[in-house]
Amino acid sequence: MTFTTWAAFAASSAILLVIPGPTILLVVSYAIGSGLRAALPAAIGVALGDLTAMTLSLLGLGALLAASATLFTVLKWCGAAYLVWLGIKLWRAGAQFQAAPRSGAPALRMVAHSWLVTTLNPKSLTFFVAFLPQFIDPHGDLLTQMVMFEVTFVVLAFLNALAYALAASQARGFFAKPSRVRLMNRVGGSLLIGAGVAAARSTP
């Protein structure tokens, strides 16, 4: 894996992680209800969940690559189209971002709940299957790439969830303003569409 490929993966991951989804909604709801004490447990649960979902996705991609390079290329095209579709859907979401406060949960329960929601979210597995092939070198060592991608993404996912939790616990009124949520969704949607188009153009 070249440094350019890794940097592109890290940058794309960071951008995509900022876009709020079901997992971030859960993190925010815990932070709103329980304050700072929820930040670390919720972030740890998210990181573990992403690690689980990403490992399952990479194992499936590895098996597909071993079976057929053509099918792998087709998957990359489908993945690019999926990213564009997600971007359009997010753009049209408007100001929808609601998280009901959750309070009083023990730290271990917050970790387990965040892990479960992240791992069992079908969109997580689908997203990784669509996203990761854009950066995998079929001629390179798959195990090395898996480790690098997983470590990078999990660290970024942890820091992103922690940042959301800290922000929500300190500024609980931020997510109550529709204009901010709408702007976040439209910027995120545009970035997803751009990532999908770029992936389609780079796919042989």
Side-chain angles (χ1 to χ4, degrees):
M1 182 192 307
T2 65
F3 175 79
T4 302
T5 300
W6 175 84
F9 173 81
S12 299
S13 298
I15 292 170
L16 297 172
L17 282 168
V18 170
I19 302 170
T23 300
I24 293 301
L25 285 176
L26 179 65
V27 170
V28 169
S29 71
Y30 272 129
I32 291 175
S34 301
L36 283 174
R37 79 174 190 86
L40 188 59
I44 290 174
V46 170
L48 293 176
D50 278 325
L51 177 63
T52 304
M54 198 172 184
T55 299
L56 293 174
S57 299
L58 281 169
L59 290 175
L61 290 173
L64 182 62
L65 178 59
S68 171
T70 301
L71 287 176
F72 188 78
T73 301
V74 170
L75 179 63
K76 291 185 71 173
W77 273 102
C78 293
Y82 179 68
L83 292 177
V84 172
W85 178 78
L86 282 180
I88 294 173
K89 185 177 180 181
L90 186 61
W91 176 273
R92 298 175 61 184
Q96 296 179 11
F97 188 81
Q98 298 178 354
R102 298 169 181 265
S103 58
L108 187 58
R109 183 180 298 175
M110 284 189 278
V111 172
H113 193 190
S114 299
W115 170 79
L116 198 62
V117 169
T118 306
T119 302
L120 298 183
N121 180 11
K123 291 183 179 180
S124 295
L125 294 173
T126 306
F127 173 75
F128 284 131
V129 170
F131 180 63
L132 291 171
Q134 319 305 328
F135 301 94
I136 292 178
D137 180 4
H139 306 291
D141 182 71
L142 183 61
L143 180 60
T144 301
Q145 294 180 79
M146 285 176 61
V147 172
M148 289 295 295
F149 287 146
E150 288 206 35
V151 170
T152 301
F153 193 91
V154 169
V155 169
L156 291 174
F158 172 79
L159 294 175
N160 179 68
L162 186 63
Y164 262 108
L166 293 174
S169 63
Q170 295 298 315
R172 302 184 184 186
F174 178 88
F175 299 104
K177 295 187 177 181
S179 59
R180 294 177 178 177
V181 178
R182 183 181 296 106
L183 178 61
M184 185 184 302
N185 284 341
R186 290 186 174 177
V187 170
S190 299
L191 292 172
L192 275 176
I193 293 171
V197 172
R201 295 184 62 183
S202 65
T203 302

